[in-house]
Amino acid sequence: MKKIEAIIRTSKFEEIYTCVSGLGVKFLTFYEVKGMGMEHARQQTYRGVAYEPTYIPRTKLEIVTVEELVEPVIDCILKMGKTGEVGDGKIFIYEALEAYRIRNSDTGEIAL
Amino acid sequence: MKKIEAIIRTSKFEEIYTCVSGLGVKFLTFYEVKGMGMEHARQQTYRGVAYEPTYIPRTKLEIVTVEELVEPVIDCILKMGKTGEVGDGKIFIYEALEAYRIRNSDTGEIAL
Amino acid sequence: MKKIEAIIRTSKFEEIYTCVSGLGVKFLTFYEVKGMGMEHARQQTYRGVAYEPTYIPRTKLEIVTVEELVEPVIDCILKMGKTGEVGDGKIFIYEALEAYRIRNSDTGEIAL
Amino acid sequence: MNQEIFTINNLWMMVATILVFIMHLGFASLEAGLTRAKNTVNILFKNTIIPAIGLLTYAFIGFNLMYPGDDFAGSFIGLAGIGITLPEGWDTFAYNEGYTFFTDFIFQAMFAATAATIVSGAVAERVKLGPFIFFSILYVGICYPIVGMWKWGGGFLDSMDIPFYDFAGSTIVHSVGGWAALVGAFLLGPRLGKYTESGMKAIPGHNIPMATIGVFLLWFGWFGFNGGSVLTADPGTVSRVFVTTAIAGASGAFGALIASYLKFKTYDITMVLNGILAGLVGITAGADLMGVGEAAIIGFIGGTLVVFAVVFFDRIKIDDPVGAISVHLIGGIWGTLAVGLFGDLAGMQQVLSQLIGIAVVGAFCFATSWLIFFSMKKTIGIRVDEREELEGLDINEHSMQAYPDFASKN
Amino acid sequence: MNQEIFTINNLWMMVATILVFIMHLGFASLEAGLTRAKNTVNILFKNTIIPAIGLLTYAFIGFNLMYPGDDFAGSFIGLAGIGITLPEGWDTFAYNEGYTFFTDFIFQAMFAATAATIVSGAVAERVKLGPFIFFSILYVGICYPIVGMWKWGGGFLDSMDIPFYDFAGSTIVHSVGGWAALVGAFLLGPRLGKYTESGMKAIPGHNIPMATIGVFLLWFGWFGFNGGSVLTADPGTVSRVFVTTAIAGASGAFGALIASYLKFKTYDITMVLNGILAGLVGITAGADLMGVGEAAIIGFIGGTLVVFAVVFFDRIKIDDPVGAISVHLIGGIWGTLAVGLFGDLAGMQQVLSQLIGIAVVGAFCFATSWLIFFSMKKTIGIRVDEREELEGLDINEHSMQAYPDFASKN
Amino acid sequence: MNQEIFTINNLWMMVATILVFIMHLGFASLEAGLTRAKNTVNILFKNTIIPAIGLLTYAFIGFNLMYPGDDFAGSFIGLAGIGITLPEGWDTFAYNEGYTFFTDFIFQAMFAATAATIVSGAVAERVKLGPFIFFSILYVGICYPIVGMWKWGGGFLDSMDIPFYDFAGSTIVHSVGGWAALVGAFLLGPRLGKYTESGMKAIPGHNIPMATIGVFLLWFGWFGFNGGSVLTADPGTVSRVFVTTAIAGASGAFGALIASYLKFKTYDITMVLNGILAGLVGITAGADLMGVGEAAIIGFIGGTLVVFAVVFFDRIKIDDPVGAISVHLIGGIWGTLAVGLFGDLAGMQQVLSQLIGIAVVGAFCFATSWLIFFSMKKTIGIRVDEREELEGLDINEHSMQAYPDFASKN
Ligand SMILES: Nc1ncnc2c1ncn2[C@@H]1O[C@H](COP(=O)(O)OP(=O)(O)O)[C@@H](O)[C@H]1O
Ligand SMILES: Nc1ncnc2c1ncn2[C@@H]1O[C@H](COP(=O)(O)OP(=O)(O)O)[C@@H](O)[C@H]1O
Ligand SMILES: Nc1ncnc2c1ncn2[C@@H]1O[C@H](COP(=O)(O)OP(=O)(O)O)[C@@H](O)[C@H]1O
């Protein structure tokens, strides 16, 4: 069982979601995060003072899934999340030891 | 040392927290996340157009704790977090390699 | 490849960021979380009723980096994040299996 | 009397009408600001539809109930007819030296809705929309004008040997709303999680700037509410009323500031805002009778009272999210009494008449609002179910959010 | 005529002027509230600069285009000169029994900007700032006054055997704005993601309290808009206009409430707010001709129409974020027609004249606004590029945010 | 003089009074909008309590200091007594042809608080509440009326051979506030993180819609501020003042728009809003002396000046979150000078008198506000401690939040 974490462009979420759900990934969790990286935020001006928000708003995606689906999911994200511009983000893979479905206490892969 | 991540109904947080702190889990971190799953959000209408927010607001719980407490904490969440309805959420377990307490650089289990 | 998660005081973010980027850590992700711990939130009053927000707003830092940098990064956080007061937060270390750069599908350490 | 003065008087009455109108936005903003974001559409909806209800019901029957004419002088109830019919010479000073018939109607109509608006704050965040609208129609369309007739329509309160005195409606308008607010809040019960075994919980209002805008707009409109109640543009009287109204509001702010600081050791702006309103409600009954000093005292006491009243109603577990009962009922009673204690009419006799007025109006409003709310409670129900209340009325009653673009804190 | 009455009349006209002024804040709040947080600075910027444009262009040329004087009676266009020159006895009732020259100018100038403000709502969230400002200058400075002259300036619509009647501007002001709103929204095309293969998407307004504040302020100002159009403080006429205005707004609220509830099974406050405005726009053409009952009917129908109009324009994929076309164009046409159907002038002949007025004004406004928008579209472009629209106009056109301290939901 | 005209005049003065009153909501909204969410309750609290302070202190002593009567003609200071005592015939035109004594008092009282409100914007986000309230009481209760007496109370500025001229208070009101704002901002020092080694940081206001509402309400009220300063309803003069006021505000918007666009290459709405106010402040001193063109020039220059002033004060590290110094002090000086450069009184002599007025008022206000702020700084302290400032004044001074339901961005 693996956990896939991806930091993506918020604007790319829709496409990526459609793609992974196409693979049969019915569940995922995402939330807004702030990123520091190569890309720089658009400059803003207020009363004559220019400033640049230090971070870039991004979306973080979390999918815990079975081994077989890890590759395909990664491909989805790489394909759909790509613009080629600095700022596209990253994917990280982690080991997940166990999963439980709260509704009925299922555990193991059927809980995913 | 294990990390317990649970995606729960926001409304269930109070009960779960009371339960785990009963176990002596003094520390935890939580935040709002958005979930895609079986459950569907309530439909909304604006100026005659019906629409359905694609995601469901949920709370994500993170508890890093010692082996002995993993089971009891999971039980708390399964017991308190359950409504039996689709949408109750999941629990995931991960390995944590090390922990540090910033205040005094404690490390290891005493840092939890 | 390791993942460093730190729950810090929001006010300490700047200093910590300067320190780690000094180490050549160009990338990191952070977001607002709520913490339950030893520290207690300042009491508030509304129309004569005193109350205390149950949680404390904190910032969570995520850095995935190579082995060599793990120690220095931890030192940065311990040094810069410390006030000595209850509430300074924690650092947790996890194993990361793989990383991908979405922009160009780089994988492995060069993707960090 | 001449056409010039008539035209001036009528102009002032029309301007006052607009000022009273904008008070409805004041109520809407204040009540929305002091409740939670998840119930904002609901409270705004109520406060938008209430003035509409007030204007229409008042045209249909309210005005005729409230001003049935001399045949009903001294009585308890009367009805001049249904709908609006223009009397002879309605647009000349033969009708009235202060206003045309239409000005008369519209000024009074703007007052009418106020009573229900007061209630909407006290029952906020848990009342069902339909039943509340139904209540508003009955209360604004029938109960309010009947009470109004007792005094302003030449009814029995007006024809006592020492007539009950209520210049602009501390009792006739504000207490009328306040009593129903009390009944509604009581029959509904407190909001979920307000009073728990572990004690009382604070449920902070979600938008203090809106609440502040609301109170300033109410104060602004109050110059028309009190100033227009002179019913002419008489320079002396109207300017005197302006001064007492302004001073009472200002000292109400200080009354509440000091009382709440001493009690809670904090500068609670919501208390200061309530204090201003309590000062204004307090001066309303005798705005034309007081001097500057008396207005200051009445306002200051009103502002102080509201702080203790808010605490008191919380203690007896009557949950009033915006403090409407404390401001309008307590403030209204205080202001009505004050007419007997200060100013040109001060005197034991007058105190008695004031007490009579307070009592009969209270009895009638309590009874009628209880009747309406209670019968609905036992039949269609007046409170949203638990899940709806937790999720918020906006999403459930309106399937909408007030702030869809903003992330909520919890 | 005497100095006293003249002074009273002039005072009322000045007060009415201020009331019309505050309507611009009403428009700003309403439009900001019904659009998204990421475009708020932009919409506020437009609505702040438009009144400034209106006042300045009207002083420079508009007033002289709209009131060219008797030499141009019955004609299509005229020009009295450039800039403001004080006529003989401008400040006496020799100039006009209702107002001085300056009052005349400033009251009319406040009206002028309204036309452009209406447009800004319909083109919101996608129009380029520069071109829109350019459009506003031309439309407010030239098109609006020309149309106004046709009726209020003694032009040909006024000198028909059965003159076209438009008391306060259902057509002359609101439809003029409405037509340009229609053209602008059409030439711009819908906002990204509004109409997709998978059907129509809702794009909820980000701040319902602001929208509510906006509508209350508009209603508030409307008493000056309609009441001031009497051009004197005549007690009978002005108070009658007050009543019809208030009643039409109130019944407009109910018309929209009922229609939207039957259609959508939900209490949509934005529809009720639009309904109030449609009721007000509807009564504007005949506010001085109707009785209470007629005003109620006109308002109610206006409020009902707006619900169907909003749905209709969505169906034909004309994207109007705030419902400006439905309120001001449809409402304006309805109100203008209503003059022939109800009240003192009702009659087939009048209906005909009204239709003529609606048609010629429509043709002219449609043509001119098309000309301006289309030529800009083909040259400098009128729509922001896709990325700017997705990210929001605030950050791109103003490099600013309206709410920098609040976390956004998505 | 006759009763009719007296009644009309008094009516206008009362309406103007209400308009000036609502300016306090304008200030509250503007200042709250241009500061951060974490300090919103605090700034609203100050702006709510200040009008209350103004009304009460003015009744207690201010009015008697400002209008001590003829015995003190030409002098520097005088006092008619303590509290409000009604003179003979206070409610007849024997007192004054324009207003009753009470109208006189309440109109002036509404002005009084303005001075302190201006200051609250400049010292926002870091000043301690207690000391600021203490300052406001002294400044509004004593300093402002003394200066006012010099001109409007028949003092020495009024009895120079070529009297200093300040129609509605560019200097007497706005600069008086502006000078104290300068002193306060200077003695407090900048907000943490505003000026760092790495250069100047932007601290964006948290709610642009509120700031916009604020400016529209100020403009709205300004018609009463300037129009009421005519002190009668004279049709010619008041309507002229309306026109100059409206035009100056509008051209102020354009002055700021153009200047800020050229300087910053961005459409900064906060600058346009400041520009409108600067235009209004600029015309205030000579609103009754200018023609349309002159008003346009004065407003335009005012609007341009404010942009450079904001940049200038930032450069010299005087941190004024809302631009109060630029708008009210710079704008006030400009407007006062303009009386000598344009309009009916233009002339070298007049320029001189204006300079004298600017200088003496400046010296006095600078000195007194320095005295008050500095002595408090050395004793009780005037600035919150660092942690409080970082966390926000709301949570620390009021243990409250303005928006408890909204998630904050950082
Ligand atoms: N090693 C890392 N640890 C944590 N977050 C990272 C890491 N690398 C990248 N990120 C996140 O991914 C976001 C995208 O990085 P980006 O600037 O796009 O780099 P790239 O040059 O690969 O496009 C960053 O803003 C940051 O939030
Ligand atoms: N495999 C997963 N990976 C990431 N998040 C998940 C996963 N499974 C479930 N979730 C999260 O848990 C939430 C609850 O899932 P839910 O719809 O309740 O499924 P169930 O049928 O088990 O109740 C989802 O909305 C999603 O946020
Ligand atoms: N074991 C843990 N699991 C999850 N979060 C934790 C854990 N320990 C601490 N935290 C987070 O760190 C924050 C800081 O903890 P704190 O109260 O500072 O403890 P300390 O006494 O070490 O200062 C807590 O509010 C919580 O959010």
Side-chain angles (χ1 to χ4, degrees), chain B residues 27-29 62-64 101 103, chain C residues 7 35-39 58 86-90 92:
Chain B
F27 297 101
L28 61 80
T29 303
E62 293 186 3
I63 303 177
V64 180
R101 163 173 281 112
R103 171 158 51 91
Chain C
I7 290 121
M36 303 280 209
M38 292 297 187
E39 195 191 33
R58 300 188 175 284
V86 160
D88 283 349
K90 309 278 179 93
F92 303 109

Side-chain angles (χ1 to χ4, degrees), chain A residues 27-30 62-65 101-103 111-112, chain B residues 7 9 33-39 56 58 85-90 92:
Chain A
F27 296 101
L28 62 81
T29 304
F30 64 102
E62 293 186 4
I63 304 178
V64 180
T65 186
R101 163 174 281 113
I102 296 172
R103 170 159 50 92
L112 295 180
Chain B
I7 289 120
R9 295 185 186 274
V33 297
K34 300 165 183 168
M36 303 278 209
M38 292 296 186
E39 195 191 30
I56 301 205
R58 301 187 176 284
E85 300 293 306
V86 161
D88 283 349
K90 309 276 178 95
F92 303 109

Side-chain angles (χ1 to χ4, degrees), chain B residues 8-45:
Chain B
I8 61 170
R9 295 185 186 274
T10 305
S11 56
K12 289 292 185 181
F13 176 76
E14 291 285 319
E15 292 168 63
I16 292 173
Y17 176 62
T18 335
C19 180
V20 296
S21 47
L23 302 172
V25 173
K26 296 185 306 304
F27 297 101
L28 61 80
T29 303
F30 64 102
Y31 45 99
E32 307 310 314
V33 297
K34 300 165 183 168
M36 303 278 209
M38 292 296 186
E39 195 191 30
H40 290 292
R42 154 165 305 92
Q43 173 173 298
Q44 301 190 24
T45 315

Side-chain angles (χ1 to χ4, degrees), chain D residues 12-26:
Chain D
W12 166 236
M13 292 309 293
M14 293 192 299
V15 170
T17 300
I18 317 178
L19 291 171
V20 176
F21 168 78
I22 207 62
M23 291 176 76
H24 293 296
L25 175 56

Side-chain angles (χ1 to χ4, degrees), chain D residues 32-54:
Chain D
L34 291 186
T35 49
R36 286 164 292 180
K38 64 182 177 180
N39 299 318
T40 301
V41 168
N42 182 258
I43 198 112
L44 292 171
F45 191 95
K46 290 189 297 182
N47 283 283
T48 304
I49 208 67
I50 286 172
I53 291 173

